[in-house]
Structures are given as structure tokens and as C-alpha cells.
Amino acid sequence: MEEHQSVGSWRELGRHMGTVLVLAGGVLVGAVNIYLTASLLPTAVAEIGGERLYAGNTTVFLTAQVVATMLVGRTLSRRGNIGSYLLGFGLFAVGSVVCASSPTMPVLLVGRSVQGLGAGLLTGLGFALVYSALPRRLWVRGSALISAMFGLGNFVGPALGGLFAQFGSWRLAFAVLAAASAVMAASVPRALPKCGRTAAGAVPVPLVSLLLVIGAVGAVSVAGALSGEAVTAVFIALALALVAAFVVAEKRGRVRVLPRPTYQAGSALRWLYLTIVLLAVGVAVETFLPLFGQRLGGLPPAAAGFFGAALSLGWSASQIVSSSAHRQRTVRRLRVAGPGLLGAGLAVLALLQRRDAPLPLVLAWLPVLLLAGAGIGLAMPHLSVAAMAGAPDKEEGEKAAAAIATVLTMSTAFGAAVAGLLVNLGGPSTLSSARCLLLGFAALCASGTLTALRADRLAQRAQVREAKAEAGQTAGQSR
């Protein structure tokens, strides 16, 4: 008989409405902010100057965001759920106010870094609360909701940013973000359950891991801002070396960012995280899709922007279907099929690229992008839940949940840098750049099927060992 996992309904998730609104809202404001700001920056630079610091906006935000996700466990241990969320929304609101009132670009960068701290904390807390504040049968639904918020933010952010930029109201956009954060913060004390550890059990800061990750994110952000292929490759190599040093430091250290089983032989956890990375990096192609739509497909900016967000739309919509899967065999197949579908979609899209493409061919991009995005949505919630369930106890489980946010944020940074490198390698032709980018990411994302299969095999072996151990204990007790 095939094994089933308990999956609650969306209606049951709705009974935890307060918790759901807070965790979804926290992830959404951070996700919207990334793409909204990208749309606003040209207008802001035209007013306050600082074009030479333009790329720094992404660097400081992503670095601060990654750092904050790594401190989620410590924050929860000291402040509990409510205090941690108030801190996250508070930091994001303060950073948004600083951005809204910035007279110069350096001040805007300060605001962006504070925003990043708040956004990273809120993202990590979202996954942590799915683990600690929802019953296990609702983990898939909760994880699907968070994943959908990332996709929704990628879809809504550029539209809102473009709207505010159209009317020259970039400061108002940041003010709206600050107001939204304040409203969400006001609902936190009533919406969230009062739980969390006390300061007596405070989690130490993983300082060495923290510094290595800061260096890796900084290197990959610089790589994404450079135009020379050789120099870009050097910075990406430096980032990969720092990531390798991070893994070594985590293995040997007593204080870790990732849960302990990640580094144990025979554990599926490392392969689950790697599969999440290979899925999440695929979103980086969205940055260049509007450019391809305008230059190759002759689309107006608004329509090209919609095509750029189609991947995220497919990602968000597919969560609804995926989260209902409850048979273990189906869940395993979704985890393996997701990266394959994403890779296949990007490969087909590469083949559809043409100079002066006719409208029917351009319109064919849309269903391909939606299907490619569905690959992320079909697999991501189940990968997240598998990572949470792969920890041996509550403390390691919270760490495993929060680490998903760290992995996703680092994937965003690396994906952006690799995308920039592939576009430059394919240049100066837009057509060759598009094919180089899409085929490169197709191969990268499709390799996630191999890591997912490896995780599945290891998980099955662990289940067999556990079953044998339980059978041995039962036989011993009967004797």
C-alpha cells in the first residue's frame, strides 16, 4: 500500500488566519520591494544623483538580507515570535522612511541596507513560523503560501514601481512601503501565538560563517555589476571559493547556520538545499526577459514587462495544485519533475528566440514561461517541507526552516551574477545573448533533477533503516 502524508486543506489553514497573514505579509513586502526598487532607481538617480553607486543598491540590500536570515534563530531565542516580527517590520519601515527622505545616494544606500535587514528577518521568520506555529499537516500549505508570495512579489513589484516612476513619485513608493509595514506590525501582537525561547537559551552568532557569506554575496554582487567577462569570472570564482570555505567552517564549527544533519554522511538535507538553489536561480532570467521582448519581439515596454513576470505568475499559480499532493510517490515525483520542467521550459524558450520575431511566435513565449515557472511551484513547497522534516529535533528543525530563506536569498544573488555573465558572453548580439542565457540556465536548473533524485534515494534509505530499527525494537520487546 502506498504511503500517504497528511495534508491539511486551505480552509484549515484559514483557521490560523492571523499567523498566515503575518507570515505572508512579511515575505510579500520584501519580495515586492526588490523589483519595485529596481523600477524606481532610474528616476531616483535622475533627482539625487549617484549613478556611480547605482549597482550598490542591490549589493547592500542582498548582503543585509542574507545576514538577517542567518540571525533568525538568535532573534527568535531572544525576542520570541512577536518581538522578532515587530523588529523585522520595524527595520523595514525605518529603512523605507530613510529611502523616502534620502537627499543623496549614500543616504539611500543606508536606507536600503536597513530595509534588507528587515526583509531578510521577515523572510526567515516566515519559514520558521511555518515550522513552529502551524501543525505539521499544514506545512506544505504554509510553504506553498510563502513561495507564492515570492512569485507574487516578482509579479507586482515591477508593475507598482513602473507606475510610481511614471509619475515621478519614487519617494511616495517608499513611503507606501513604510506605511504597509507599520500596518502589518500593528497586527502582530494580536495575530501571532506567544511562543519562542527566552534570552537564557540565546543562540550564539555564527560569526565565521556570517563573514564568509557576506564576502561571497559581496563578490557575486560585484560580479553581476561588471561588464568584462574575465573580471566577472574572477569574482564569481572568488564567491564560490568563499562558499566552499563556508561549508568547511560549518562542518568544523560548533555554531552553524545550517542544521547539523546537512553535513552528516548519508543525509538527504544537503541535496534538498542544493535542489532548492538550482530551482531558485532560474528566476534570474526574469531580469532580461523584458529586454528580449522589446528588442527581439518588438513588444511595448508594458507588455514586455508582463512577459518578464510570467515565470513568477506560473510559479505562484502552480502552488495551489502542488500543495494538494499527499501521496509520497507523487510528492517525490514533483520534487524531481520540478527542476526538469523549469529547465525544459527555458530550453524551449531559447529555441523560440528570433530576430524580428512574428507576433504569434512571441505570444508562444507566454505559455512556455508559465509552464517553466510551474516547475518551481510544483517542487518548491515539498522541498521546503522535506528540509524541515529532515532535522532530528525542534531546535534543528527551526534552523532548517530558517536556512531555506538564507539559501533562497543567496540563490538570488548568485543567479543575478551568472545571468549577467551569460548575457555578456553571448553579446553583442541580443539574439545570441538571449540563447546563451536561456540555454545556460536550462542546463543549470535541469541538473536539479539529479540532486532531487539523490535526496530521494538517501531519504528512502533512511526510512528503511528506521523501519528495521523499529522492527528490531518490537521483536526485542516481544521476547
Side-chain angles (χ1 to χ4, degrees):
M1 182 179 294
E2 185 179 353
E3 187 179 353
H4 290 61
Q5 69 177 17
S6 177
V7 177
S9 64
W10 289 107
R11 178 178 297 180
E12 186 178 359
L13 185 65
R15 296 172 191 158
H16 302 265
M17 184 59 70
T19 299
V20 167
L21 288 177
V22 170
L23 69 87
V27 173
L28 182 60
V29 293
V32 166
N33 174 68
I34 295 174
Y35 289 89
L36 181 145
T37 304
S39 301
L40 295 174
L41 275 178
T43 307
V45 168
E47 179 179 332
I48 64 177
E51 186 172 354
R52 289 169 55 185
L53 299 175
Y54 189 99
N57 277 273
T58 301
T59 301
V60 299
F61 182 86
L62 286 176
T63 303
Q65 191 175 25
V66 172
V67 168
T69 61
M70 296 171 67
L71 298 176
V72 168
R74 180 175 177 82
T75 306
L76 279 170
S77 72
R78 296 178 67 89
R79 297 177 177 271
N81 289 344
I82 293 176
S84 297
Y85 260 100
L86 289 176
L87 178 62
F89 280 120
L91 285 170
F92 190 84
V94 169
S96 299
V97 169
V98 172
C99 290
S101 57
S102 298
T104 61
M105 183 59 73
V107 177
L108 183 64
L109 291 179
V110 172
R112 289 286 285 152
S113 63
V114 178
Q115 267 192 331
L117 289 173
L121 194 56
L122 291 170
T123 302
L125 287 170
F127 284 104
L129 249 71
V130 167
Y131 179 88
S132 63
L134 295 178
R136 181 163 180 163
R137 63 182 177 277
L138 292 177
W139 283 3
V140 175
R141 303 286 188 186
S143 298
L145 182 65
I146 288 181
S147 187
M149 291 303 102
F150 282 112
L152 185 61
N154 294 355
F155 184 76
V156 173
L160 286 179
L163 181 63
F164 280 109
Q166 182 72 31
F167 296 99
S169 303
W170 66 273
R171 295 184 187 274
L172 179 60
F174 285 115
V176 169
L177 286 176
S181 300
V183 171
M184 292 297 300
S187 67
V188 166
R190 290 174 297 168
L192 290 184
K194 295 181 180 179
C195 58
R197 296 185 294 262
T198 63
V203 176
V205 176
L207 186 59
V208 174
S209 297
L210 199 63
L211 292 174
L212 289 170
V213 167
I214 290 173
V217 174
V220 80
S221 297
V222 171
L226 297 175
S227 56
E229 292 91 340
V231 180
T232 301
V234 168
F235 274 93
I236 290 180
L238 174 61
L240 291 174
L242 290 171
V243 169
F246 165 81
V247 172
V248 173
E250 286 269 292
K251 280 184 176 180
R252 297 177 178 176
R254 290 182 299 175
V255 182
R256 301 179 180 89
V257 175
L258 300 179
R260 185 176 60 256
T262 308
Y263 307 102
Q264 294 175 345
S267 172
L269 205 49
R270 74 185 73 177
W271 300 103
L272 290 168
Y273 282 132
L274 187 54
T275 307
I276 291 173
V277 169
L278 294 171
L279 269 179
V281 294
V283 183
V285 303
E286 285 186 327
T287 306
F288 294 95
L289 289 177
L291 175 67
F292 302 153
Q294 291 182 55
R295 293 189 179 179
L296 299 177
L299 296 173
F306 178 78
F307 273 69
L311 196 71
S312 290
L313 185 61
W315 172 8
S316 299
S318 61
Q319 317 280 340
I320 307 300
V321 177
S322 173
S323 62
S324 298
H326 60 278
R327 294 180 178 177
Q328 287 289 355
R329 183 182 300 174
T330 302
V331 169
R332 289 196 296 268
R333 287 175 176 172
L334 288 173
R335 291 200 297 252
V336 173
L341 182 58
L342 175 59
L346 294 178
V348 171
L349 187 64
L351 298 177
L352 293 177
Q353 302 302 300
R354 296 283 189 280
R355 288 190 184 91
D356 301 320
L359 183 59
L361 184 64
V362 176
L363 292 177
W365 297 1
L366 189 57
V368 172
L369 282 167
L370 291 172
L371 283 173
I376 303 176
L378 292 177
M380 190 67 79
H382 301 291
L383 289 167
S384 299
V385 170
M388 295 179 196
D393 53 47
K394 186 175 186 296
E395 182 177 349
E396 290 294 309
E398 286 182 355
K399 187 180 292 186
I404 297 170
T406 304
V407 169
L408 286 172
T409 308
M410 290 188 67
S411 302
T412 301
F414 274 90
V418 173
L421 177 62
L422 290 175
V423 167
N424 288 333
L425 286 174
S429 164
T430 302
L431 177 60
S432 59
S433 290
R435 289 177 176 170
C436 185
L437 171 70
L438 294 170
L439 289 174
F441 270 85
L444 187 64
C445 296
S447 65
T449 57
L450 301 177
T451 57
L453 283 169
R454 178 63 175 165
D456 187 35
R457 290 194 198 100
L458 291 172
Q460 288 184 8
R461 289 177 189 173
Q463 290 174 357
V464 170
R465 288 195 299 269
E466 290 174 4
K468 288 181 177 178
E470 290 179 4
Q473 290 177 357
T474 303
Q477 291 171 359
S478 64
R479 287 196 298 267

